[in-house]
């Protein structure tokens, strides 16, 4: 479910800012193409990790947030960040 170059990056941004618009995610991850960001978000949504909300207005407003299942990943990803910091300090 988490394979893919950008999925963890997307999740980390959604942990920090619980609700993000598509354009905010694009700005937060400038190295990802629009096509790849859409693809990764769709896969996360399909797997029940991210919730997509479309607001009926012009122009369309689309927001992404973590589902409760996605929020349950927070402790595991936090542990990965701590592990990475320990590794960096050791180097």
């Amino acid at each position: 479910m988490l394979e893919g170059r950008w999925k963890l990056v997307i999740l980390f941004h959604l942990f920090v800012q619980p609700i993000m618009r598509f354009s905010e995610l694009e700005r937060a991850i400038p190295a990802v193409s629009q096509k790849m960001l859409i693809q990764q978000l769709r896969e996360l949504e399909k797997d029940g990790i991210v919730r997509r909300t479309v607001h009926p207005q012009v122009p369309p407003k689309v927001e992404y947030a973590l589902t409760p299942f996605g929020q349950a990943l927070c402790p595991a990803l936090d542990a990965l960040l701590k592990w990475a910091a320990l590794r960096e300090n050791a180097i």
Side-chain angles (χ1 to χ4, degrees):
M1 282 188 214
L2 298 178
E3 74 177 295
R5 181 174 179 183
W6 302 105
K7 287 183 182 179
L8 288 177
V9 177
I10 293 167
L11 292 177
F12 281 121
H13 283 288
L14 289 173
F15 287 137
V16 174
Q17 187 174 340
I19 298 174
M20 293 185 79
R21 294 181 67 175
F22 181 80
S23 59
E24 292 173 322
L25 282 166
E26 272 187 309
R27 282 192 300 275
I29 314 168
V32 67
S33 69
Q34 188 178 58
K35 178 185 174 189
M36 183 57 67
L37 181 59
I38 290 169
Q39 179 183 341
Q40 300 283 277
L41 285 165
R42 283 184 181 156
E43 289 176 14
L44 288 167
E45 182 184 10
K46 182 181 75 86
D47 291 332
I49 297 170
V50 169
R51 180 184 70 245
R52 178 178 187 256
T53 304
V54 180
H55 298 278
Q57 64 185 47
V58 177
K61 179 180 175 182
V62 180
E63 294 177 330
Y64 293 90
L66 295 173
T67 64
F69 181 60
Q71 290 171 349
L73 283 169
C74 189
L77 294 178
D78 194 41
L80 278 175
L81 283 174
K82 290 177 184 173
W83 174 81
L86 285 173
R87 184 177 182 272
E88 184 150 322
N89 290 336
I91 295 177

